[in-house]
Amino acid sequence: MPRSSKPRIGVVVVAAGSGQRLGYGLPKAQVPLAGRTILAHALEGILASGVAERICVAVPVGDCVLRTVCEGVSGRVPVTAVEGGASRAASVSQALAGLGPDLDGILVHDAARALTPPEVFVRVVDALAAGAKAVIPAVPVADTIKTAVPSAAGQQSIASEKVAGTPDRSRLRAVQTPQGFDAAALTSAHRTLAAMGPLEAEAITDDAMLLESQGTDVFLVPGSPEALKITTALDLMTAEALVAARSRTVQPTANQPVPTMED
């Protein structure tokens, strides 16, 4: 990736999920969040970051609502839509093809992380510009995590699982999106994924894991607690509260200096 000029970045937005756990009977990206679709909020964050040259959104097969959301985006950045596939990886591959050639880097973003702050996109792109082939935003894990194994046959009446171990929490990170990649590296990795057997491919849960499995260093930059993934009704309630809190934030005016650390 060239370091002397602004990198040309394409953004893939994965918006083909069913959203069954939200209980709306709608594809997840169509679900309303503070009066607008989840996808509309996601696109707003991408555009506000100023990193994208092109955006391609993978939407459910036959979905016209989300295509209309994409068509309604105004600005200098073209936003197109393609039909997603049967899996997340297939949807990313479809959108990669929809982005077109001549890009230095590609960000893969989940529409469900609709409130990801613009600065997270910038951090990922800055790391790509500095030479990373793969970079992901992440936050420290606050909870103590246990690994589990099935209980022995004579213990099933107590509980079906028991603790196998406790990983060192200081080394654990919760991964978010957008995940950023060198464009050629990601495209090549997806060609490899297409050649894998079904079980092997199913074990690859995100694009960073795909690059990692091929020996590529995956770097971490700070994510944000606001980049929560909207999966359940409780997540949606949290996102609604966050949007409301943002709308109450007083923005500095020309006569109001921005507070400094000393303030």
Side-chain angles (χ1 to χ4, degrees):
M1 180 174 294
R3 303 188 187 198
S4 58
S5 59
K6 182 179 177 181
R8 297 165 298 176
I9 299 293
V11 181
V12 164
V13 181
V14 184
S18 65
Q20 291 180 353
R21 281 180 283 179
L22 281 175
Y24 271 74
L26 297 171
K28 183 188 294 185
Q30 277 192 34
V31 170
L33 169 59
R36 294 188 294 155
T37 62
I38 284 176
L39 177 59
H41 285 275
L43 291 173
E44 179 180 69
I46 298 168
L47 295 171
S49 73
V51 302
E53 184 170 300
R54 299 195 291 273
I55 300 171
C56 186
V57 183
V59 303
V61 174
D63 190 298
C64 297
V65 173
L66 296 179
R67 285 183 179 273
T68 300
V69 172
C70 295
E71 292 166 359
V73 173
S74 59
R76 64 177 185 81
V77 178
V79 180
T80 58
V82 296
E83 290 189 343
S87 65
R88 185 182 190 281
S91 293
V92 172
S93 292
Q94 294 284 82
L96 282 175
L99 278 177
D102 303 322
L103 293 168
D104 300 309
I106 294 171
L107 307 188
V108 180
H109 187 46
D110 290 334
R113 295 190 187 273
L115 302 182
T116 300
E119 57 266 26
V120 176
F121 292 87
V122 174
R123 288 180 201 134
V124 172
V125 171
D126 284 348
L128 289 175
K133 296 288 187 182
V135 55
I136 56 179
V139 293
V141 173
D143 297 326
T144 296
I145 303 297
K146 304 288 186 181
T147 55
V149 294
S151 300
Q155 300 169 326
Q156 288 292 313
S157 62
I158 302 172
S160 60
E161 292 182 328
K162 62 183 179 182
V163 171
T166 307
D168 179 2
R169 187 174 65 184
S170 69
R171 299 182 62 188
L172 298 177
R173 300 292 181 269
V175 173
Q176 302 175 333
T177 67
Q179 298 185 348
F181 306 95
D182 173 83
L186 182 62
T187 302
S188 175
H190 268 267
R191 284 197 293 267
T192 302
L193 181 63
M196 291 182 182
L199 292 179
E200 187 181 8
E202 188 176 333
I204 303 294
T205 56
D206 68 4
D207 296 276
M209 187 177 179
L210 176 60
L211 272 289
E212 185 184 349
S213 71
Q214 298 179 354
T216 301
D217 286 333
V218 180
F219 293 90
L220 298 169
V221 297
S224 169
E226 297 181 18
L228 74 159
K229 188 174 184 180
I230 303 171
T231 302
T232 66
L234 181 58
D235 297 330
L236 187 60
M237 290 172 61
T238 303
E240 292 273 3
L242 181 54
V243 173
R246 286 180 176 182
S247 68
R248 292 194 299 268
T249 301
V250 178
Q251 299 295 328
T253 66
N255 297 321
Q256 286 180 304
V258 177
T260 65
M261 292 297 289
E262 288 74 17
D263 295 332

